Amino acid sequence: MWHDEIQEAVKKVVFTESCSAYYPTDLSYFFYYPNLTEIVGIQYLNTSKVTNMRGMFSGCSKLKSLDVSHFSTENVKNMGSMFNECSSLTSLDLSNFNTSKVTEMDMMFNLCSNLTDLNVSNFNT
């Protein structure tokens, strides 16, 4: 039960420059916090070795803005449900995403009901 309470309590996530020295490979459901409203310093999240981004922002229904322009996605294979239920986002620019190795994109934008500006112009599907 305490896990659910922690998920409910998180409203803001902060990354510092020192985070860029960490090389995660799996960020699946990394930001699964239903009350998350702000991510600070996301440019310091090093995604260069990540292969799994499934559900990375899934359930972030209160997140109103998101800048993923610095994400390195050339090794990612799974982006399924990545923005699932991000119902407060109105725009998302994914034009820098390299999707050449992605094999799963199912439900990537499922229930993104307010998303009116979506740039996927460089997607290789």
Side-chain angles (χ1 to χ4, degrees), residues 4-66:
D4 292 338
E5 291 170 7
I6 291 172
Q7 281 184 307
E8 294 290 324
V10 174
K11 294 183 172 127
K12 181 178 182 179
V13 173
V14 178
F15 291 94
T16 61
E17 192 171 349
S18 64
C19 294
S20 60
Y22 176 65
Y23 294 88
T25 57
D26 189 335
L27 293 175
S28 57
Y29 298 95
F30 194 73
F31 294 102
Y32 193 74
Y33 303 107
N35 290 314
L36 183 66
T37 59
E38 186 179 7
I39 302 173
V40 176
I42 196 166
Q43 71 271 19
Y44 299 123
L45 177 61
N46 188 334
T47 60
S48 63
K49 300 213 185 276
V50 175
T51 59
N52 189 358
M53 289 185 171
R54 179 166 200 82
M56 188 172 178
F57 300 97
S58 185
C60 293
S61 61
K62 295 183 180 177
L63 194 60
K64 293 182 179 179
S65 66
L66 183 61

